[in-house]
Amino acid sequence: MKQISLFFIFVTSCFVSIGQINHEVTINVEDVPMSHFIKTIEERSSFKFYYINSWIDSLKVSVNAEKKPIHEVLTTALRNSRLQFYIDGNKIILTDNTPILEGIDPGFFSINETDTDGLTNYSFRREYIPVAQVESKVENKIIEIGTKQATLKGNPTLVGYIKEKKTNEAISGAQIYVDKTSKGTSSNAAGFYSLTIPQGKFTLVIQYTGMNQERRNVILYSDGKLDVFMEEDVISLKEVVVESDRDANILNNQMGKSIIDMKSIKNVPKILGENDLLRVALTLPGVKSVGEGASGLNVRGGNADQNLMQLNEATIYNTSHFLGFFSVFNSDAIKTSELYKSGIPAQYGGRLSSIFDIQLKDGNQNKFSGTGGIGPVTAKLLIEVPVVNEKTSLVIGGRSTYSDWLLRQVPSSTVKNSSASFYDLVGRATHKFNENNSIAFSYYYSKDRFKLGNDSLFSYSNNMASLQWRSSFNHNLHSMLSITHSIYKYNIDFDKVPQNAFTLGFGIKESNVKWDFNYYKGAHKIDFGLQSKLYNLNPGFINASGNESIVKSNQVEPERGLESALYLADNIEITPKLSLYLGLRYSSFTALGARNIYSYSPDLPKDNSSVTDSTAYGHNESVHTYRGPEYRFSARYALAGLASVKISYNRTRQYIHMLSNTVSVSPTTTWKLSDTNVAPQLADQISLGFYKDIPNNSIETSVEIYYKWLDNVIDYKIGSELIMNKHIEQDILQGKGKAYGIEFLVRKKTGKLNGWVSYTYSRTFLKMNSQFMNEKINDGSYYPANYDKPH
């Protein structure tokens, strides 16, 4: 009887074990993260998974199983991955390209993680810990990437994506480097990175402003992929706002680049309750304000119109709100912004002094979130909605003022009848089709109104739409196609005297198509692409306002132009100490009809009396074409002791010009395209810099000097009229210029006290020399530009 009982217990235990191993599971998921798949299995069964998080954090699975054995479900889920699985009762052990053939020791799941005695036969086993503990232990684990038996020609390449863990957003500009070496790279706009390094064991460091530093202990055998998810770094009273990540200024050969991170910008003192991106930019070396209460920046001795402000590749022509006290950029909706002052990459063009590249948030893909605030003048709200978890997200935000209500509370009748208000709206929808394709649509609209008492009403608006498609053909080739449309216009309405009531206005429309490609091959990072931009410009109009007005309607002839460019660049590492950036951008601009172009006598100054002929051009007929190469070069040489020297040279061309008698961008500022009588502006800039980090105190120092040669820069004749001028070329002067300066920066990045100090000395001179006295300024000698500010 005792033997029968033992036999019954034995048979029962066998069936229980088999039931666990072949436990039937029902699950239907499509392209979901492996972590979601594991969580679903654990919730619907008694199985418990053991694995290392870094093996699965980028893996997506698709399974459609109806009461299938667990081993069949796992086989289907992992069929396109390197992962192997082993089932021990109700425990499932995942391994990375290492099958378990001989079973598991009985004490495997009770081994102390710090105790490796007796594990010589299972040396990998100490890396296995329960899922709940993996997150805090991943930095202590050794991650094997690639195949040990792989035959390589040259060094292997490690690729992957850097993303924010909380929102699943890509992190652009993260620094990825091998610890204690000068070997590193940065992630692109899609969060992708590629790093070619020798085989072996090393520690990979990943850093980004406002995020906790991540470290991965890696053994690299052959080409492989490693994705990293970063968490936000929350430190009380953190004051560092603008921060290129650790050693980035030493490792990169990019000069004159500043990254302004919006997570940190929230900690700076606010202007009337608003975090202002451009106010923070003014604290950077080489960047100056055109004046208090005015919009626009002067960068390295350049005029305000020589800066390209773009929001998701779409141009923003007026960046000010509220008479220049606020910028049009809602800091809550912005992910990153990058400012290029020198060493401008070949994919950018169209302006002489700087490129301000601003990117909106993609939105939280995991959970609903929002932020808002009320200040002394403004109120704002922004929400992020995950429409489809980890696939589709939506960001909607807006700001507005209640300043008009405040003005009406003032006893003065003049103030009561005044107006000074603005509002803006921003939205972005993103959808991820799969790991290799995603699309995003962005929209922005802003409007400002200003009136003093019963005087004229000024109003202006920005309107922008952007469609971007990101695609990865493979680990080496990526692309982004951008289609954008921008509209800027202003109106001046006067109705104080009904007989003289009028509406005066200006408008510009810009349609842009740009296709960028990134190709990674060993020590090379090759960028290439093309761009085409169509301008439609309404230089000015005036119309009668109201039935009593006797003002005669007038219209300045519209202008059209097509700007196109091709570019190719290679960022190559020659040695661990020496790296080069070689780029060529070839741009062209064609002024288009329908227009009438006047010809002038070369022996007389340009005015009505020197007109010799007039030529009429039909719709889209070519009026005049300018073209030429734009060279881009930079080099970095690493010195001992976390230091480096860099040199850069770039040529830039500008085909559109701001016309203004004031230094700043005002509500009456107009723009003009190049044509037969107005040539494009040209600049050549050379820069030299020395960079040094002091690691123990986390202090970053840099010194940069630059010299810039300018050609065809614009100034005006005495008494020139810029508004409603049908022959504006008669009042424009074009000549030469030069700008030079030196910039110092000392930044402390960690500790209880942190921040930075910068100082710039720069000069800008113009030279308008002509054979005609009324077209000379300062007798044809150099004179300080009106935006020349030495200190």
Side-chain angles (χ1 to χ4, degrees):
M1 192 69 180
K2 182 178 180 181
Q3 291 175 338
I4 294 175
S5 299
L6 290 174
F7 176 76
F8 176 78
I9 293 172
F10 173 74
V11 172
T12 303
S13 64
C14 289
F15 276 112
V16 171
S17 177
I18 293 171
Q20 288 174 333
I21 294 174
N22 294 296
H23 181 80
E24 292 180 339
V25 174
T26 297
I27 184 170
N28 185 5
V29 292
E30 181 69 26
D31 197 31
V32 300
M34 184 65 181
S35 58
H36 176 79
F37 170 78
I38 290 174
K39 183 179 179 182
T40 302
I41 295 293
E42 290 183 336
E43 289 175 349
R44 297 181 182 181
S45 68
S46 61
F47 286 105
K48 183 70 174 177
F49 283 78
Y50 293 80
Y51 58 92
I52 293 178
N53 193 61
S54 61
W55 294 349
I56 71 163
D57 57 9
S58 63
L59 183 62
K60 296 292 184 70
V61 298
S62 298
V63 179
N64 184 4
E66 184 72 27
K67 293 184 178 181
K68 296 289 185 181
I70 186 63
H71 69 276
E72 290 187 17
V73 174
L74 291 174
T75 300
T76 302
L78 304 178
R79 63 184 181 275
N80 295 322
S81 74
R82 293 159 38 92
L83 294 182
Q84 308 282 336
F85 68 89
Y86 182 85
I87 303 175
D88 183 53
N90 69 334
K91 299 178 178 66
I92 300 174
I93 305 166
L94 302 181
T95 63
D96 183 28
N97 207 27
T98 308
I100 299 175
L101 303 176
E102 300 178 358
I104 297 296
D105 289 344
F108 176 83
F109 299 99
S110 60
I111 292 176
N112 189 312
E113 292 176 309
T114 60
D115 179 16
T116 60
D117 294 340
L119 293 178
T120 53
N121 293 328
Y122 299 94
S123 58
F124 66 89
R125 199 169 300 158
R126 62 182 180 276
E127 300 180 7
Y128 287 86
I129 54 180
V131 174
Q133 302 177 30
V134 167
E135 299 297 337
S136 61
K137 299 295 183 180
V138 66
E139 291 192 353
N140 300 324
K141 308 307 168 187
I142 297 176
I143 304 171
E144 296 184 358
I145 298 176
T147 306
K148 294 181 181 180
Q149 295 78 19
T151 302
L152 292 178
K153 293 181 180 179
N155 294 326
T157 299
L158 180 64
V159 301
Y161 290 88
I162 310 299
K163 297 183 179 180
E164 186 176 348
K165 183 178 180 181
K166 184 178 180 181
T167 64
N168 206 37
E169 276 197 83
I171 297 178
S172 171
Q175 299 299 315
I176 305 100
Y177 62 94
V178 178
D179 197 20
K180 299 179 181 178
T181 73
S182 59
K183 183 65 178 179
T185 187
S186 58
S187 59
N188 64 14
F192 180 82
Y193 73 92
S194 177
L195 190 61
T196 301
I197 42 183
Q199 289 176 303
K201 183 178 179 180
F202 56 88
T203 298
L204 196 68
V205 182
I206 304 95
Q207 290 191 322
Y208 185 72
T209 307
M211 296 287 180
N212 284 321
Q213 182 192 90
E214 296 288 337
R215 301 173 71 89
R216 298 291 186 269
N217 297 311
V218 175
I219 299 178
L220 184 63
Y221 299 115
S222 63
D223 295 348
K225 184 180 180 183
L226 176 64
D227 294 342
V228 178
F229 288 81
M230 306 187 75
E231 294 186 87
E232 185 175 354
D233 183 17
V234 181
I235 301 176
S236 299
L237 301 180
K238 185 175 181 180
E239 296 178 7
V240 175
V241 179
V242 183
E243 179 177 319
S244 299
D245 298 289
R246 176 184 178 266
D247 300 339
N249 63 327
I250 304 296
L251 298 175
N252 292 343
N253 56 15
Q254 176 68 56
M255 286 189 68
K257 177 183 176 180
S258 300
I259 298 176
I260 304 177
D261 178 70
M262 304 313 296
K263 293 186 186 310
S264 299
I265 201 176
K266 296 177 181 178
N267 298 298
V268 300
K270 297 175 174 58
I271 307 296
L272 295 177
E274 281 287 321
N275 299 115
D276 198 309
L277 173 66
L278 298 186
R279 292 288 174 180
V280 174
L282 289 172
T283 66
L284 298 172
V287 183
K288 306 174 186 179
S289 170
V290 297
E292 292 301 324
S295 65
L297 303 175
N298 299 129
V299 179
R300 287 198 169 179
N303 198 6
D305 71 322
Q306 295 175 0
N307 309 306
L308 177 61
M309 300 284 183
Q310 57 181 31
L311 182 64
N312 285 99
E313 302 293 336
T315 304
I316 302 295
Y317 279 92
N318 192 331
T319 59
S320 74
H321 271 321
F322 210 68
L323 305 177
F325 285 101
F326 302 109
S327 75
V328 298
F329 305 111
N330 185 342
S331 60
D332 291 338
I334 294 174
K335 179 170 66 173
T336 60
S337 58
E338 298 177 342
L339 171 64
Y340 297 90
K341 299 177 294 182
S342 64
I344 297 174
Q347 61 262 39
Y348 298 109
R351 296 296 189 274
L352 298 190
S353 293
S354 72
I355 307 295
F356 220 117
D357 186 18
I358 301 168
Q359 299 291 325
L360 294 172
K361 286 181 177 179
D362 287 333
N364 195 321
Q365 296 182 354
N366 298 325
K367 66 177 182 179
F368 178 90
S369 62
T371 181
I374 298 177
V377 178
T378 63
K380 60 182 179 179
L381 177 67
L382 182 130
I383 58 173
E384 301 178 49
V385 183
V387 180
V388 178
N389 192 36
E390 298 194 358
K391 276 187 173 291
T392 308
S393 62
L394 180 65
V395 178
I396 302 176
R399 291 186 300 171
S400 184
T401 61
Y402 39 85
S403 49
D404 284 351
W405 178 84
L406 293 174
L407 292 174
R408 288 194 293 270
Q409 312 309 310
V410 179
S412 170
S413 59
T414 301
V415 177
K416 277 187 175 183
N417 293 325
S418 297
S419 174
S421 63
F422 74 85
Y423 68 89
D424 57 44
L425 302 170
V426 63
R428 182 168 170 86
T430 60
H431 178 72
K432 183 178 181 181
F433 295 102
N434 50 48
E435 191 67 28
N436 296 324
N437 290 278
S438 63
I439 194 169
F441 175 76
S442 306
Y443 178 75
Y444 175 84
Y445 180 79
S446 71
K447 187 164 186 177
D448 282 70
R449 291 165 54 89
F450 171 72
K451 180 175 71 171
L452 180 60
N454 293 318
D455 208 339
S456 303
L457 173 65
F458 292 84
S459 62
Y460 59 92
S461 63
N462 288 290
N463 201 341
M464 179 279 289
S466 170
L467 183 67
Q468 295 173 296
W469 171 43
R470 296 186 187 277
S471 182
S472 297
F473 301 97
N474 51 52
H475 288 331
N476 296 328
L477 183 60
H478 306 259
S479 77
M480 183 174 75
L481 175 64
S482 301
I483 303 173
T484 67
H485 186 67
S486 301
I487 302 175
Y488 170 68
K489 60 183 179 181
Y490 73 74
N491 287 320
I492 301 174
D493 295 297
F494 176 77
D495 57 5
K496 187 175 182 180
V497 180
Q499 293 82 1
N500 297 326
F502 66 86
T503 297
L504 177 72
F506 164 87
I508 183 171
K509 297 179 182 179
E510 179 187 303
S511 302
N512 176 55
V513 177
K514 187 180 181 185
W515 205 348
D516 298 309
F517 294 86
N518 310 116
Y519 180 68
Y520 300 84
K521 184 64 175 178
H524 298 265
K525 179 183 178 293
I526 300 173
D527 301 322
F528 60 96
L530 63 154
Q531 181 179 17
S532 189
K533 185 181 294 187
L534 178 66
Y535 298 96
N536 283 281
L537 193 148
N538 184 349
F541 64 88
I542 185 169
N543 295 319
S545 179
N547 296 327
E548 300 180 40
S549 177
I550 60 174
V551 174
K552 183 179 179 181
S553 296
N554 199 0
Q555 168 77 55
V556 179
E557 197 172 34
E559 298 182 20
R560 285 166 57 84
L562 181 65
E563 179 182 342
S564 301
L566 297 170
Y567 73 88
L568 173 66
D570 188 5
N571 197 333
I572 177 173
E573 184 174 278
I574 308 298
T575 69
K577 288 189 174 183
L578 177 64
S579 60
L580 299 176
Y581 178 87
L582 303 172
L584 176 64
R585 180 184 179 90
Y586 193 88
S587 65
S588 70
F589 175 84
T590 300
L592 302 172
R595 288 187 62 189
N596 290 309
I597 299 295
Y598 285 87
S599 300
Y600 296 88
S601 171
D603 300 321
L604 296 172
K606 288 181 181 178
D607 56 33
N608 288 331
S609 63
S610 63
V611 175
T612 61
D613 194 9
S614 175
T615 305
Y617 293 89
H619 181 67
N620 283 338
E621 186 178 354
S622 175
V623 175
H624 195 89
T625 298
Y626 296 94
R627 61 171 65 91
E630 302 178 28
Y631 308 103
R632 311 294 168 87
F633 165 80
S634 62
R636 172 205 60 113
Y637 186 79
L639 304 173
L642 283 179
S644 67
V645 292
K646 303 178 188 179
I647 188 172
S648 72
Y649 164 77
N650 58 256
R651 167 174 288 186
T652 49
R653 298 174 186 269
Q654 181 168 330
Y655 300 103
I656 185 169
H657 321 277
M658 183 181 74
L659 305 179
S660 176
N661 284 328
T662 64
V663 178
S664 65
V665 180
S666 71
T668 58
T669 294
T670 61
W671 294 76
K672 170 156 184 62
L673 299 175
S674 296
D675 57 25
T676 306
N677 295 308
V678 180
Q681 300 179 67
L682 181 68
D684 292 275
Q685 180 182 187
I686 186 169
S687 304
L688 179 66
F690 174 77
Y691 310 83
K692 170 70 177 176
D693 283 3
I694 305 173
N696 292 335
N697 297 321
S698 295
I699 294 176
E700 172 188 304
T701 65
S702 65
V703 180
E704 290 189 21
I705 60 175
Y706 68 90
Y707 195 97
K708 191 187 299 184
W709 295 266
L710 304 167
D711 199 10
N712 294 328
V713 289
I714 286 180
D715 212 331
Y716 310 99
K717 294 179 181 179
I718 295 175
S720 59
E721 291 288 340
L722 304 183
I723 299 177
M724 295 299 300
N725 189 335
K726 294 187 177 182
H727 308 294
I728 190 65
E729 69 272 8
Q730 297 178 8
D731 286 323
I732 289 178
L733 299 177
Q734 288 194 281
K736 296 186 179 297
K738 59 183 179 181
Y740 55 86
I742 184 169
E743 302 169 355
F744 299 89
L745 175 67
V746 178
R747 176 184 295 148
K748 188 175 185 296
K749 298 180 288 186
T750 60
K752 293 183 178 180
L753 176 65
N754 45 61
W756 71 95
V757 177
S758 67
Y759 169 74
T760 302
Y761 177 81
S762 67
R763 299 304 307 269
T764 306
F765 297 94
L766 304 181
K767 182 179 181 180
M768 301 294 158
N769 193 14
S770 171
Q771 58 178 317
F772 312 113
M773 287 303 299
N774 68 337
E775 293 185 352
K776 283 186 178 183
I777 298 179
N778 195 33
D779 292 328
S781 300
Y782 278 104
Y783 60 93
N786 58 4
Y787 42 88
D788 173 61
K789 300 177 181 179
H791 303 284

